[in-house]
Amino acid sequence: MKIYVGNLSFEASDQDLKDAFAAHGRVETATIVKDSFSGRSRGFGFVEMPNEAEAHAAISALNGKDLKGRAVKVNEAISKSDGRRGEGGGRGRGGQGRGGQGRGGWGDRGGRSNY
């Protein structure tokens, strides 16, 4: 089962994530999503646990708990194929704050350019 972990501290590492979930069962992978440009954590990640019962136990135990100074949000990941936002979704955000040139990004304020 793939588990979404949000509201992660920017100081948290893949190993911190793995250790937190390993207390509740076997962890296949634990990965914090990083920005491709800066390499900095984007504040969320995914954990894969092969045993569904252990995964549900980890979700219940860790949701809202402190990990590196932040209360994490933990739930079952929603796959992209479900048509909902899942692993990195981002639908409908236009220019992601870049706006400019009247393209309609959410950073475009009434047709004037941000640049």
Side-chain angles (χ1 to χ4, degrees):
M1 171 186 278
K2 195 164 194 176
I3 302 166
Y4 166 84
V5 185
N7 198 37
L8 285 169
S9 165
F10 294 119
E11 284 76 43
S13 68
D14 292 348
Q15 189 62 49
D16 293 327
L17 199 55
K18 185 173 185 171
D19 292 345
F21 280 81
H24 303 282
R26 190 164 78 83
V27 175
E28 242 172 41
T29 62
T31 308
I32 294 176
V33 177
K34 300 200 174 28
D35 180 78
S36 58
F37 181 72
S38 68
R40 184 176 173 194
S41 167
R42 293 189 61 201
F44 69 95
F46 296 94
V47 174
E48 288 186 80
M49 296 181 77
N51 183 302
E52 204 164 308
E54 291 174 349
H56 283 293
I59 290 169
S60 295
L62 296 172
N63 189 35
K65 298 297 183 214
D66 182 82
L67 180 64
K68 291 282 192 177
R70 305 270 310 256
V72 293
K73 178 179 170 81
V74 183
N75 52 40
E76 187 174 345
I78 300 169
S79 71
K80 288 181 182 180
S81 62
D82 286 345
R84 294 180 278 174
R85 185 171 180 207
E87 305 170 10
R91 64 176 194 258
R93 293 197 322 201
Q96 293 184 342
R98 292 173 187 90
Q101 309 293 324
R103 292 192 180 118
W106 53 276
D108 187 9
R109 306 271 194 275
R112 67 171 196 225
S113 174
N114 289 338
Y115 302 105

